[in-house]
Amino acid sequence: MAKISICKLAQDLHFDVVWAGDKKTVEVPCADINRPGLFLAGFHQRFDISRIQVIGTAEVSYLMSISKEMRVKALEGLLKVPFPFAVISANAKEIPELQEIAIKNNAVVFKSKKSTATKVVAELSGYLNSKLAPMTTVHGVLLDIYGLGVLVTGESGIGKSEAALELVKRGHRLVADDSVIVKRIAENRLVGEAPESIRNMMEMRGVGIINVELMYGVSAVIHSKSIDLVVHLEFWDKDKDYDRLGMDEDRMEILEVGVPLLTIPVHPGRNLAIIMETAARNTRLKQTGYNALDEIRERQKNMMEEE
């Protein structure tokens, strides 16, 4: 369940508030949306009070076709039910009694600027799926590199922000530095964004806090990005065996979603920006079905057969 500010909801979705009374927030238990046509017509069975109600042209046309007495009875029956809130589409005609009945039942009612109920449902569904998505916070840096969402993790001071800034200078985009809010918006899809308080900001040791958008332009930042690859930076350990051929296919579990994981050893002289660009390009190629290691194996096989 999500508790959503009424003012923020109206602002984000460009709704007009028909009535909200003294309420500041609404509690939304799920992202499911309902068209209450059957309920208004008198069929009240299997009505889910956890769903948001969207009233469109069809519902309003029905209400305006019946007598005032029946219309008031139908609306009062609907608005006294404790669902989160109702939204009327822009194409729906005004119902004279709507605000009065909303006030009487202290129901939260919005009016959308979207022309049809279908458009309202589509926009509202995407918004609620984001708000209600399972969420966690990860320490790291999230970047858009060649269209791939790359989450960079590692110990503090290992050089994540410095590498990220070099990538921004090379034309890639910053999503979040230091703290990344991760949401699971679908069964196998994660999206990351920055906390609002530090959005577009980056901490550089010895320099301080910098505003990446003001320094490098609006094209240097992006509000959110899917997480397609995790690059974990760790200090070089000479006694550890690192994967040199790309044979390992490690994954990092975030919110029960497995994300491809690369572990990159860090020591003086390594250009982390180029390494991460290469990792992003190589991951893109693997997504298309190409793997350089498989090609080497195929070449060796052909050479052996020729001999």
Side-chain angles (χ1 to χ4, degrees):
M1 179 177 292
K3 185 176 287 187
I4 305 175
S5 163
I6 289 174
C7 289
K8 186 78 165 65
L9 192 151
Q11 179 183 354
D12 291 345
L13 296 175
H14 308 290
F15 287 167
D16 293 324
V17 180
V18 175
W19 178 255
D22 58 356
K23 295 180 181 178
K24 303 296 182 185
T25 62
V26 286
E27 292 186 349
V28 182
C30 68
D32 296 335
I33 298 170
N34 184 55
R35 298 284 299 276
L38 285 173
F39 188 96
L40 293 170
F43 185 79
H44 297 173
Q45 296 178 31
R46 304 182 67 85
F47 185 79
D48 190 346
I49 65 171
S50 68
R51 297 185 177 189
I52 291 157
Q53 307 300 312
V54 173
I55 301 172
T57 305
E59 289 83 5
V60 174
S61 297
Y62 166 74
L63 288 170
M64 298 307 293
S65 70
I66 59 180
S67 67
K68 178 179 178 180
E69 182 181 357
M70 292 177 64
R71 180 166 63 248
V72 169
K73 182 179 178 181
L75 281 172
E76 284 191 338
L78 177 65
L79 294 184
K80 73 180 181 182
V81 177
F83 53 79
F85 59 88
V87 184
I88 303 175
S89 69
N91 271 359
K93 297 177 182 178
E94 295 292 339
I95 305 171
E97 303 85 5
L98 178 64
Q99 188 172 31
E100 180 182 344
I101 297 172
I103 293 171
K104 179 180 177 181
N105 293 278
N106 199 28
V108 178
V109 180
F110 298 96
K111 182 165 184 180
S112 173
K113 292 180 171 59
K114 295 292 182 183
S115 58
T116 66
T118 302
K119 293 179 180 178
V120 176
V121 170
E123 182 181 45
L124 194 53
S125 179
Y127 181 82
L128 293 176
N129 279 323
S130 176
K131 288 291 184 182
L132 295 169
M135 182 178 69
T136 189
T137 301
V138 176
H139 174 65
V141 181
L142 181 58
L143 296 142
D144 178 348
I145 305 176
Y146 298 127
L148 200 77
V150 180
L151 176 64
V152 186
T153 63
E155 295 180 28
S156 295
I158 200 168
K160 298 185 297 294
S161 296
E162 289 81 355
L165 188 60
E166 176 63 28
L167 286 162
V168 168
K169 288 176 61 181
R170 297 166 75 94
H172 306 290
R173 297 186 290 180
L174 173 74
V175 182
D177 177 58
D178 188 57
S179 181
V180 183
I181 297 173
V182 182
K183 297 179 181 179
R184 191 184 73 206
I185 62 171
E187 185 177 351
N188 291 305
R189 180 174 166 80
L190 300 174
V191 169
E193 62 183 36
E196 190 171 350
S197 60
I198 59 171
R199 186 167 296 149
N200 303 337
M201 300 294 183
M202 181 178 284
E203 177 191 352
M204 300 295 296
R205 282 179 170 79
V207 177
I209 305 297
I210 64 171
N211 187 315
V212 175
E213 181 182 14
L214 293 180
M215 290 185 69
Y216 296 96
V218 294
S219 62
V221 296
I222 185 173
H223 179 76
S224 64
K225 184 65 184 174
S226 60
I227 298 177
D228 307 300
L229 174 67
V230 177
V231 174
H232 180 70
L233 305 180
E234 65 176 40
F235 290 108
W236 181 279
D237 182 353
K238 62 178 180 160
D239 297 322
K240 181 177 179 179
D241 291 329
Y242 292 101
D243 181 22
R244 300 182 63 179
L245 300 178
M247 298 178 65
D248 297 339
E249 294 186 356
D250 295 332
R251 301 184 82 82
M252 179 177 179
E253 291 287 327
I254 304 175
L255 294 173
E256 300 181 357
V257 177
V259 184
L261 169 67
L262 295 177
T263 299
I264 306 296
V266 176
H267 65 82
R270 300 207 81 188
N271 189 322
L272 293 179
I274 289 179
I275 291 172
M276 283 191 270
E277 282 183 332
T278 304
R281 285 184 179 273
N282 196 45
T283 299
R284 277 289 187 213
L285 284 173
K286 286 182 177 180
Q287 289 175 345
T288 65
Y290 173 82
N291 189 320
L293 181 59
D294 291 339
E295 184 174 344
I296 289 177
R297 286 170 172 165
E298 186 64 26
R299 289 180 183 179
Q300 290 175 336
K301 178 183 175 182
N302 291 338
M303 289 174 64
M304 292 176 64
E305 289 176 350
E306 289 175 0
E307 291 177 356

